[in-house]
Amino acid sequence: MKELKKTTWRSPSNIALVKYWGKKSGVQIPANPSISFTLENCYSETTVSLLEKEKKGKDIELRFYFDGKANMAFQLKMLKFFESIRKDFPLLNEYGLLIHSTNSFPHSSGIASSASAMSALAISLCDLQQQLGNKKLSDEKFLHRASHFARLGSGSAARSVYPLISQWGKTSTVRGSSDEFAIPFEKNLHKIFQTYQNTILIASSAEKKVSSRVGHSLMKTNPFAKTRYAQAEKNLKEIIGALKTGDLEKFGAITEEEAMTLHALMMCSTPSFVLMSPSTLAMIDRIRNYREETKLPVYFTLDAGPNIHLLYPKDVSKQVSGFVAAELTELCENGRMILDKVGKGPKKIK
Ligand code: DP6
């Protein structure tokens, strides 16, 4: 089939500091505001090619390859997503689509890939649709639009389209904030956080025990939901203060509280899930002891899984890598970890 146009985007994963956990009624509307660091080394790279359609008619024509191999499971998910956004993207009706995607991180590393994958896909579609039309959006509007459609694919993906740090979810604390799309936040970020480090310690690479979609839905009956949403608002306000002033202690206290709350919420959901592993707990213990002994600002956060995201300023990297080698590597599955840091955001690949 003749290729008529194509684009390639690399888009990163992100790690939430204040977590999105729970949805309001509506389409992908978060129950509380969240904020995240954009990562650098964990990313998806997606090429979308537009082909001549094989058949005239209403069906969306899509072939999807992950790591060079046809992937039916992802293709079906993507088709469902495309059906839901086709009125906004005429190209989905007019062309056949060939999509190739890869991740920089191993599939079985327990790193959530929906944020990077859905943001790379949404940006690529927005880019192609813009190329086909005759209206060029400002960079700001383009990224709002990309974030909006990334959100419809996966909520946390909305936050992956900006450099360094991004906020999503309507809150009186942040002017211009929205439930529909994330907004950039880098102007508010103290210098120390602009080069912040994130070492991802792989406690287990096993498949997730519960999908995010199911996890979010369990908040509907969680007895602590109301308190949690109020806590998230408060934590967002406070962490923004710390992110502006460079208050590492406050930053770390809130980050760890958010991680522990996320897991506590899952433990007291019905049905209940324990997503930490014994090594996660052992690592948390060692990190807290190390901090107590050295007074170095080394804190952790967690995703909806067992892996630890160690967060620390660049100027203590040397000490921290010594600590990791001496005390944490042995707790990682096959000694596996990924060195990452706060990153520059999506990039078009020429
Ligand atoms: C724990 O964005 O994966 O990582 O919107 O259903 O795709 P869906 O969920 P998803 O949820 C992410 C949850 C989290 C916290 C966060 O990233 O804020």
Side-chain angles (χ1 to χ4, degrees):
M1 250 335 88
K2 199 163 139 217
E3 184 181 273
L4 302 168
K5 231 179 210 336
K6 79 168 171 185
T7 192
T8 301
W9 282 82
R10 177 181 287 183
S11 189
S13 185
N14 67 73
I15 179 71
L17 305 168
V18 172
K19 312 288 181 184
Y20 146 56
W21 199 244
K23 300 180 194 187
K24 282 188 206 150
S25 53
V27 190
Q28 293 282 89
I29 300 297
N32 63 264
S34 59
I35 193 161
S36 57
F37 278 150
T38 302
L39 298 182
E40 178 71 7
N41 299 330
C42 291
Y43 57 80
S44 297
E45 206 169 282
T46 299
T47 300
V48 180
S49 308
L50 301 184
L51 314 174
E52 270 173 13
K53 253 187 135 171
E54 283 173 16
K55 292 192 203 117
K56 286 215 160 50
K58 286 211 304 266
D59 289 348
I60 294 179
E61 288 178 10
L62 166 67
R63 269 181 293 146
F64 176 74
Y65 293 82
F66 183 73
D67 278 344
K69 288 195 216 84
N71 188 313
M72 246 352 208
F74 282 169
Q75 179 163 315
L76 288 174
K77 262 192 198 165
M78 212 170 258
L79 260 180
K80 222 170 134 200
F81 172 53
F82 286 174
E83 289 291 350
S84 73
I85 61 168
R86 69 193 293 176
K87 65 179 185 320
D88 296 289
F89 289 91
L91 66 82
L92 295 173
N93 303 316
E94 292 159 7
Y95 300 91
L97 287 106
L98 172 64
I99 302 183
H100 277 273
S101 196
T102 56
N103 290 341
S104 65
F105 46 92
H107 183 57
S108 60
S109 58
I111 311 288
S113 58
S114 67
S116 55
M118 285 323 234
S119 57
L121 181 63
I123 299 177
S124 299
L125 288 182
C126 290
D127 178 16
L128 285 172
Q129 195 63 66
Q130 172 157 291
Q131 287 184 39
L132 291 167
N134 44 20
K135 196 170 141 224
K136 183 161 175 2
L137 296 173
S138 65
D139 287 353
E140 187 190 349
K141 289 226 170 88
F142 177 83
L143 290 174
H144 279 179
R145 185 170 154 81
S147 175
H148 170 96
F149 289 107
R151 176 196 116 234
L152 296 178
S154 177
S156 56
R159 297 186 311 242
S160 269
V161 308
Y162 301 109
L164 309 182
I165 186 161
S166 171
Q167 192 276 327
W168 171 44
K170 182 109 190 99
T171 165
S172 56
T173 304
V174 181
R175 208 181 321 135
S177 59
S178 169
D179 283 342
E180 309 274 324
F181 52 81
I183 57 171
F185 212 67
E186 64 175 309
K187 286 204 189 89
N188 301 291
L189 197 60
H190 186 275
K191 210 167 81 247
I192 191 139
F193 290 114
Q194 297 182 9
T195 55
Y196 231 57
Q197 305 292 300
N198 174 24
T199 297
I200 308 167
L201 303 157
I202 314 291
S204 164
S205 62
E207 273 290 306
K208 277 194 180 181
K209 285 186 206 155
V210 58
S211 69
S212 296
R213 197 172 47 80
V214 172
H216 287 289
S217 73
L218 292 175
M219 285 301 283
K220 294 241 179 289
T221 51
N222 190 299
F224 302 103
K226 206 168 153 214
T227 317
R228 159 59 192 159
Y229 300 143
Q231 177 202 38
E233 281 283 351
K234 177 170 168 283
N235 280 348
L236 183 86
K237 191 169 184 177
E238 289 186 8
I239 208 167
I240 284 174
L243 288 163
K244 282 182 179 162
T245 58
D247 184 340
L248 300 187
E249 218 171 295
K250 177 118 232 166
F251 164 84
I254 297 170
T255 309
E256 290 194 359
E257 182 180 300
E258 280 289 317
M260 294 309 242
T261 300
L262 172 69
H263 282 258
L265 287 167
M266 281 184 272
M267 284 187 228
C268 66
S269 290
T270 312
S272 141
F273 291 96
V274 179
L275 301 186
M276 292 189 200
S277 71
S279 345
T280 315
L281 289 171
M283 287 197 238
I284 290 175
D285 215 31
R286 291 187 190 182
I287 293 162
R288 287 181 165 171
N289 286 340
Y290 176 74
R291 192 164 70 228
E292 184 64 34
E293 280 159 23
T294 62
K295 308 288 175 224
L296 290 176
V298 185
Y299 295 88
F300 68 86
T301 188
L302 301 158
D303 248 334
N307 301 333
I308 296 264
H309 287 248
L310 208 55
L311 293 163
Y312 50 94
K314 190 163 187 241
D315 62 3
V316 300
S317 294
K318 228 174 142 184
Q319 292 100 303
V320 174
S321 65
F323 160 59
V324 168
E327 296 196 46
L328 301 181
T329 310
E330 65 190 22
L331 295 170
C332 295
E333 187 182 81
N334 303 321
R336 278 169 73 192
M337 65 187 74
I338 298 174
L339 297 181
D340 212 337
K341 59 185 176 190
V342 166
K344 293 186 284 294
K347 187 172 144 199
K348 185 164 175 157
I349 307 294
K350 295 274 183 260

